[in-house]
Structures are given as structure tokens and as C-alpha cells.
Amino acid sequence: MNIQFKKGALELCVLALLNKQDHYGYELVKKISDQIAISEGSVYPLLRRLKKEEYFTTYLQESQEGPSRKYYKLTDKGREYLYDLLKEWQQFSEGVNHIIKEGVSNE
């Protein structure tokens, strides 16, 4: 898949996953990479940026499988941002799909 497509969608995927429940970093990477081929290294800088922008908070929780894990929790500001992004995504994808449909049907 085109890397530019992934970059644009990755932020939306992270926020959408955190909307339902808190996740730790590797868990987010795994859930996203089950659907989209991404590198683990692309998610952590995004998590740091989104936390700095106060779209979520973090907390440590003990794990039975090793050291404590850092969980990410969506804030109200992050939820508002998610819904703004979803609207933009829907408009964008509908526009692109319309153009593709129009272009393919003319062949």
C-alpha cells in the first residue's frame, strides 16, 4: 500500500481504537498491523505527538507478562479531534470514490 495513504490514516486508526478502550503501545501496533502493513516504528512517534497535543493521557499498569505497560487513554479533546477527523475522512473518501467510479466507468 502507498505509504502516503498509511500516514494519513494512521492517526485516525489510533484515535478510533482508543475511543473504545485504553490500549498499550504494542497492542495498538498489533491491532493496526492486523489490517494495514505498518512498521512499529511509525506508531510510537505518532503516540508521542498526540500525547503532547493532549489528545490522550498515559498511565502505567502492571502486567502479568513482564514489566508495567504504558496505556493510552483518549481525552475529551482527543475524542472531539477524532470526530472532526472522521468527518474529514468521510468527505475525502466519498470524493475519491466518486472520482474513481467516474474514471473507471468511462474506460
Side-chain angles (χ1 to χ4, degrees):
M1 180 183 281
N2 183 309
I3 194 158
Q4 294 304 319
F5 289 168
K6 290 183 206 176
K7 280 185 177 179
L10 191 54
E11 184 173 276
L12 181 58
C13 291
V14 166
L15 292 168
L17 287 170
L18 291 174
N19 188 46
K20 285 285 180 190
Q21 69 180 74
D22 302 350
H23 291 282
Y24 57 92
Y26 181 73
E27 193 175 34
L28 287 168
V29 171
K30 178 88 173 82
K31 283 188 173 288
I32 294 168
S33 63
D34 283 348
Q35 302 298 321
I36 305 167
I38 59 164
S39 70
E40 189 173 336
S42 62
V43 174
Y44 288 100
L46 175 64
L47 292 174
R48 281 192 294 275
R49 181 176 61 81
L50 293 174
K51 182 177 184 263
K52 188 175 177 182
E53 294 173 358
E54 300 176 341
Y55 292 134
F56 46 73
T57 60
T58 59
Y59 61 93
L60 290 176
Q61 185 169 321
E62 288 189 26
S63 168
Q64 295 177 349
E65 300 169 13
S68 297
R69 292 179 171 153
K70 183 192 286 186
Y71 277 79
Y72 296 87
K73 179 180 181 65
L74 200 63
T75 61
D76 289 341
K77 181 179 178 180
R79 193 162 282 109
E80 286 177 25
Y81 183 56
L82 167 63
Y83 291 127
D84 289 344
L85 284 179
L86 285 172
K87 285 179 196 167
E88 288 180 32
W89 177 261
Q90 194 161 18
Q91 290 172 345
F92 175 77
S93 62
E94 284 174 5
V96 169
N97 287 337
H98 180 76
I99 291 167
I100 290 170
K101 192 175 183 179
E102 201 174 280
V104 172
S105 67
N106 289 337
E107 287 183 7

